[in-house]
């Protein structure tokens, strides 16, 4: 009977040793953490209508509260990326989960305040949640780059990214029930406690590839042979001691390929932030649903988004395994998905609630199918600054977390209708298509010092 050595430093491993699959357990951890991440972001959308009634705030004011998360999330991206490169994904991400969960829990206490003080406190706490969550998606991308070979990376990235839809499927009905039964404050308390429990689980079970007690040498060699960066954190910790290097940032910004990816990510995220901020409010205020019903109905497009997200990654990796170029394998699902996402505009011309839900499900399916930006980042980021590169993409992408909630708030506030808002959001899908078709060009890993200029 053969004995398996489970440490990466083993000197003698049988040729026929079967590789472990610890990377899938790591992916499950990323999926759970990202589900809680997005549930905490979206909690304000389920509680929003009840809060608006309690505090007597306008649609524009609610839009600014929705955007509070985005301001700090964007500001903290580059520092967060540097922290990842300096201290490693595992430690920084674990601290991030704990801190954002604590601030989520605190949001449940602002009911003791009134009027402007309550609004200011909620804005401040949402701001702090965004600051704490900043390293999360660059960390996801770094961990996938370290644990997965290139031909599995699209599916892995799609799975952790699809957690944003799973968050709505799982937690929107729960949060709707909590608001209905116990008041909007309870949503934040429950989500904060769940996040703190996840932070403890992360600390116990998450390890780097060569440090994980369950991985064997065959799996490490398989990952490395496929382009996985198994030494990513080990090599990076000594390289980022002096803080973010502005020369590196300048090099990335001079790449036409990366600028096209960044702009497209902004557009894709604009669709996301409509769904996790204004969509439940749209169902309540424009379509006459109760908060409880809106919580359940919001899960239907999210299920479609989840299926689209996973399918996009599977299609992309399947194309890659069958000999398609990396560019074709990544671009095809993105372009098709973004075209489908524009179908949300059809909701302006129908009234039946069932049709509204079906069309939004189709749009969200398309958004999921095309949400491969993090797979593209794992394919293109310079290995020396993978965290910083991901953070720069997330900076551009999450500018939409500021602009989309505010723009929709102004459109609804000034027109008294969501029709213009749906057109505004849907057009972002078209711009994303244009970016990948005409701006990005060939998708390939950037090497520091050899970044082509924007023409």
């Amino acid at each position: 009977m053969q004995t398996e050595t489970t440490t990466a430093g083993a000197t003698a491993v049988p040729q026929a040793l079967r590789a472990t699959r610890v990377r899938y357990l790591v992916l499950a951890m990323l999926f759970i953490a990202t589900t809680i991440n997005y549930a905490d972001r979206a909690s304000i959308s389920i509680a929003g209508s009840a809060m608006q009634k309690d505090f007597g705030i306008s649609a524009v004011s609610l839009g600014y509260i929705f955007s509070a998360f985005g301001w700090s999330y964007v500001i903290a991206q580059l520092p967060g990326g540097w922290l990842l490169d300096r201290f490693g994904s595992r430690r920084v991400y674990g601290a991030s989960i704990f801190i954002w969960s604590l601030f989520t829990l605190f949001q449940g206490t602002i009911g003791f305040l009134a009027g402007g003080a309550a609004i200011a406190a909620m804005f401040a706490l949402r701001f702090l949640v965004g600051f704490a969550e900043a390293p999360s998606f660059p960390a996801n991308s770094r961990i996938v780059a370290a644990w997965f070979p290139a031909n599995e990376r699209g599916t892995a990235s799609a799975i952790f990214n699809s957690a944003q839809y799973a968050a709505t499927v799982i937690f929107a009905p729960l949060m709707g029930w909590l608001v209905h039964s116990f008041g909007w404050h309870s949503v934040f308390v429950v989500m904060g406690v769940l996040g703190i429990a996840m932070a403890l689980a992360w600390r116990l079970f998450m390890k780097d590839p060569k440090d994980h007690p369950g991985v064997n040498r065959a799996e490490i060699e398989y990952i490395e042979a496929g382009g996985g960066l198994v030494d990513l954190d080990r090599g990076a910790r000594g390289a980022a001691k002096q803080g973010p290097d502005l020369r590196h940032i300048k090099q990335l910004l001079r790449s036409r390929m990366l600028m096209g990816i960044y702009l497209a990510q902004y557009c894709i995220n604009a669709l996301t932030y409509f769904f996790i901020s204004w969509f439940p409010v749209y169902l309540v205020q424009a379509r006459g649903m109760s908060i409880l019903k809106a919580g359940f109905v919001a899960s239907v497009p999210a299920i479609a988004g989840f299926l689209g997200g996973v399918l996009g990654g599977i299609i992309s990796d399947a194309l890659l395994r069958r000999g398609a170029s990396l560019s074709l394998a990544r671009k095809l699902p993105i372009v098709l998905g973004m075209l489908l996402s524009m179908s949300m505009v059809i909701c302006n011309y129908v009234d039946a609630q069932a049709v509204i839900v079906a069309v939004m499900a189709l749009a969200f399916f398309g958004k999921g199918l095309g949400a491969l930006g993090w797979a593209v980042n794992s394919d293109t980021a310079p290995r020396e600054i993978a965290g910083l590169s991901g953070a720069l993409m997330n900076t551009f992408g999450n500018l939409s977390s500021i602009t989309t909630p505010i723009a929709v708030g102004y459109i609804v506030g000034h027109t008294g209708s969501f029709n213009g808002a749906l057109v505004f959001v849907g057009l972002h899908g078209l711009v994303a298509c244009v970016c990948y078709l005409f701006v990005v060009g060939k998708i390939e890993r950037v090497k520091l010092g050899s970044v082509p200029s924007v023409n």
Side-chain angles (χ1 to χ4, degrees):
M1 179 176 178
Q2 291 180 339
T3 57
E4 292 190 10
T5 303
T6 58
T7 59
T11 57
V13 178
Q15 288 293 323
L17 181 62
R18 185 173 182 177
T20 53
R21 297 186 177 184
V22 174
R23 62 192 182 279
Y24 299 127
L25 297 178
V26 170
L27 182 58
M29 290 290 289
L30 295 183
F31 181 84
I32 295 169
T34 307
T35 299
I36 293 174
N37 179 307
Y38 262 90
D40 287 346
R41 298 188 196 191
S43 57
I44 190 76
S45 68
I46 300 296
S49 288
M51 286 176 54
Q52 190 175 14
K53 183 178 180 180
D54 279 1
F55 297 132
I57 59 178
S58 67
V60 172
S61 296
L62 187 60
Y64 275 102
I65 291 174
F66 285 159
S67 77
F69 170 93
W71 290 99
S72 57
Y73 192 72
V74 168
I75 291 168
Q77 281 302 308
L78 294 181
W82 172 77
L83 287 172
L84 291 167
D85 288 333
R86 174 68 181 90
F87 297 105
S89 305
R90 182 179 61 85
R91 287 189 284 176
V92 174
Y93 203 170
S96 174
I97 295 168
F98 178 79
I99 295 169
W100 92 55
S101 300
L102 198 61
F103 289 136
T104 298
L105 179 63
F106 289 161
Q107 289 172 71
T109 67
I110 70 163
F112 297 106
L113 303 174
I119 295 172
M122 179 58 78
F123 186 95
L125 287 169
R126 295 296 298 174
F127 188 92
L128 291 171
V129 168
F131 196 87
E133 286 195 8
S136 56
F137 268 72
N140 284 343
S141 184
R142 289 179 97 256
I143 292 169
V144 165
W147 273 96
F148 286 85
N151 65 358
E152 295 182 7
R153 206 173 284 153
T155 301
S157 297
I159 287 173
F160 82 65
N161 197 48
S162 69
Q164 62 185 277
Y165 318 113
T168 303
V169 174
I170 297 167
F171 289 109
L174 171 63
M175 290 189 286
W177 174 76
L178 286 171
V179 173
H180 178 77
S181 302
F182 303 104
W184 58 264
H185 318 82
S186 62
V187 169
F188 301 108
V189 174
V190 170
M191 294 310 306
V193 170
L194 284 175
I196 291 170
M198 179 62 205
L200 296 175
W202 181 275
R203 182 170 179 80
L204 288 173
F205 299 114
M206 195 63 167
K207 306 291 180 184
D208 295 331
K210 290 187 175 180
D211 297 329
H212 200 290
V215 71
N216 67 6
R217 184 172 174 180
E219 183 174 14
I220 293 292
E221 290 177 348
Y222 170 74
I223 295 168
E224 279 190 300
L229 309 179
V230 295
D231 290 314
L232 182 60
D233 277 346
R234 291 185 176 192
R237 286 173 191 164
K241 292 180 179 179
Q242 303 303 318
D245 191 328
L246 295 181
R247 292 173 301 173
H248 291 164
I249 296 172
K250 183 178 178 181
Q251 282 187 301
L252 297 178
L253 292 176
R254 290 177 61 236
S255 167
R256 173 173 174 164
M257 176 190 72
L258 292 180
M259 289 304 298
I261 293 167
Y262 296 162
L263 179 56
Q265 191 70 6
Y266 169 87
C267 294
I268 293 169
N269 280 3
L271 297 161
T272 298
Y273 281 103
F274 170 74
F275 276 98
I276 68 172
S277 60
W278 280 105
F279 182 55
V281 179
Y282 166 75
L283 294 176
V284 172
Q285 297 184 359
R287 297 300 173 180
M289 297 183 188
S290 67
I291 294 174
L292 181 61
K293 183 176 181 180
F296 281 92
V297 168
S299 69
V300 177
I303 292 171
F306 175 82
L307 295 174
V310 175
L311 184 61
I314 291 173
I315 291 172
S316 182
D317 284 348
L319 288 170
L320 204 57
R321 285 192 293 270
R322 294 183 181 186
S325 68
L326 182 63
S327 297
L328 177 62
R330 299 303 189 226
K331 288 182 181 182
L332 184 60
I334 292 172
V335 172
L336 291 177
M338 289 301 100
L339 290 174
L340 283 176
S341 72
M342 296 172 63
S343 63
M344 68 169 60
V345 178
I346 296 171
C347 292
N348 288 341
Y349 306 99
V350 295
D351 294 318
Q353 289 185 353
V355 177
I356 296 292
V357 174
V359 171
M360 285 296 187
L362 177 63
F364 217 27
F365 174 85
K367 190 269 169 186
L369 189 70
L372 286 175
W374 285 106
V376 174
N377 179 72
S378 293
D379 295 325
T380 59
R383 61 179 300 155
E384 302 91 340
I385 53 167
L388 190 63
S389 179
L392 188 61
M393 185 184 82
N394 220 23
T395 298
F396 278 85
N398 282 279
L399 287 171
S400 59
S401 68
I402 301 170
T403 57
T404 302
I406 293 175
V408 172
Y410 273 106
I411 292 169
V412 174
H414 285 282
T415 67
S417 168
F418 276 86
N419 288 357
L422 295 187
V423 173
F424 168 78
V425 175
L427 284 174
H428 284 77
L430 178 61
V431 177
C433 288
V434 170
C435 288
Y436 271 99
L437 288 174
F438 302 109
V439 181
V440 171
K442 183 181 180 181
I443 294 176
E444 58 188 351
R445 189 170 301 282
V446 172
K447 295 181 180 179
L448 291 182
S450 61
V451 180
S453 299
V454 176
N455 294 327

